[in-house]
Amino acid sequence: RMLSGYKPKNDIKDSYKILELEEGCSLDDVRNSYRNLAKKFHPDSSSGMADSTAFIKVEEAYRVVLNDLAAKQKSDPGEEEEDQFKSKSLQHRHYLSFEGVGIGTPSQREKQYMQFRVDRATEQVLEYRQQRLESLYAGSDLSRAKDVRQSKKVKITQAVERLVEDLIQESMAKGDFDNLSGKGKPLQKFSDSPHIDPMTHNLNRILIDNGYQPEWILLQKEIRETIEQLRKSIVASRRKLGEPMTLLEQKQWGRICEQFAEDIRKLNKRVDNFNLVVPILSRQMVHFSTDREILRAQKTYQAVVEKGSDSDMKENEGQEGK
């Protein structure tokens, strides 16, 4: 409003200097330079160099340069029409427009515009997903056929259930269930423990009747079988070496003990897993000691050797008596 009736008084050369341009530049260069200077000197901008006097000079120089370019274009034949060089609406507020969204100060309008962009992007994503789903299900005969098969399967299942229920009711009417054992007696719903609800008791009974065993029972059985196999194997290895052992047999026995220690370490990992899943604290197991197991194997071997020597002595005495 203040500049609507104002007539510029600057010289053309001074106007180019104010816009930091040289004569002969293009219209785009003039507009870009004016936009940058407007952002710098406009009173409403948040720039530290905002100055209304400097902005008025920039506005005046911009109009002078536009008129000069329009006059040159009018004098030069073969160029574009002069309408595009006519004075257009002021551009110094375009960078604050935010597509016409928001009210208040520039910073408030900027925040409102950012939220508007987020909402618009969300709506576009939802529209894209909706169109994609519609395109997938619109021309998909396989999905329709699958739905038809599923509906048929449900109908067949329901028909079978109704047929079975009708047969049961018919048998009950005929008296086929009158000779069953336990007729007229109350069902045994509860177990010996009053702390177990009937549902849990019945489920446990069904599982036990069908041979189900909990995980900790299977782990415990596996650990016991493994330690027995290891004990038998190390005793058998010691018996193969004989008594007394040579230097080579002692080295071989050392390798057997190392392998046995590795097997015990793996077995102790299973013990840890067992202790994590066992429901009763008193059923937890302790780790197996390698040294104790080797010492036990040696004692077992000594007992076997002594028993064998006693049996040999008895046989020799029996042969001497004969």
Side-chain angles (χ1 to χ4, degrees), residues 53-197:
T53 304
F55 176 72
I56 292 175
K57 292 181 180 180
V58 170
E59 177 70 22
E60 182 180 352
Y62 176 65
R63 294 191 178 191
V64 171
V65 171
L66 283 181
N67 293 331
D68 181 62
L69 290 177
K72 289 181 180 180
Q73 182 66 23
K74 189 175 182 180
S75 61
D76 294 338
E79 297 290 336
E80 297 178 1
E81 299 179 357
E82 61 175 307
D83 293 339
Q84 61 180 346
F85 295 101
K86 292 183 179 180
S87 298
K88 299 183 179 180
S89 60
L90 300 180
Q91 304 292 324
H92 61 277
R93 289 185 178 271
H94 282 193
Y95 72 100
L96 294 174
S97 65
F98 301 116
E99 300 182 16
V101 177
I103 58 175
T105 62
S107 60
Q108 293 175 350
R109 295 181 62 192
E110 183 178 2
K111 292 180 181 179
Q112 296 171 12
Y113 178 64
M114 294 299 295
Q115 184 63 36
F116 168 74
R117 292 183 62 186
V118 171
D119 296 338
R120 183 171 59 184
T122 305
E123 292 177 358
Q124 292 176 356
V125 169
L126 293 176
E127 290 178 358
Y128 170 75
R129 290 180 177 176
Q130 182 179 359
Q131 293 175 1
R132 186 176 179 183
L133 291 174
E134 289 177 355
S135 62
L136 287 176
Y137 287 100
S140 178
D141 296 335
L142 295 177
S143 60
R144 295 178 182 176
K146 184 177 180 181
D147 294 338
V148 171
R149 290 196 299 269
Q150 186 68 21
S151 61
K152 289 183 178 180
K153 184 177 180 181
V154 172
K155 291 180 180 179
I156 293 172
T157 305
Q158 293 176 353
V160 171
E161 290 178 354
R162 288 195 299 269
L163 178 61
V164 172
E165 185 66 24
D166 293 341
L167 293 175
I168 292 174
Q169 294 295 333
E170 184 180 356
S171 298
M172 290 176 63
K174 292 179 180 179
D176 295 339
F177 299 153
D178 295 340
N179 298 326
L180 295 178
S181 60
K183 180 185 177 183
K185 298 180 181 179
L187 295 176
Q188 187 178 358
K189 296 182 179 180
F190 298 94
S191 62
D192 297 335
S193 177
H195 303 288
I196 301 178
D197 59 289

Side-chain angles (χ1 to χ4, degrees), residues 186-227:
L187 295 176
Q188 187 178 358
K189 296 182 179 180
F190 298 94
S191 62
D192 297 335
S193 177
H195 303 288
I196 301 178
D197 59 289
M199 181 63 69
T200 304
H201 170 68
N202 292 331
L203 289 176
N204 292 336
R205 180 176 55 80
I206 292 171
L207 291 174
I208 292 172
D209 293 342
N210 289 274
Y212 172 79
Q213 292 181 346
E215 182 182 3
W216 66 275
I217 295 289
L218 298 176
L219 282 175
Q220 185 181 32
K221 183 179 179 181
E222 182 182 355
I223 291 171
R224 290 176 177 175
E225 292 177 353
T226 304
I227 191 62

Side-chain angles (χ1 to χ4, degrees), residues 269-302:
K269 287 185 177 181
R270 296 183 186 178
V271 172
D272 293 335
N273 296 333
F274 169 79
N275 292 334
L276 290 175
V277 299
V278 63
I280 304 174
L281 186 63
S282 60
R283 294 292 184 91
Q284 289 189 344
M285 303 176 67
V286 296
H287 284 185
F288 295 96
S289 175
T290 305
D291 298 335
R292 291 181 181 177
E293 294 297 332
I294 293 176
L295 182 60
R296 179 176 179 174
Q298 291 177 350
K299 291 181 178 179
T300 304
Y301 169 72
Q302 294 293 336

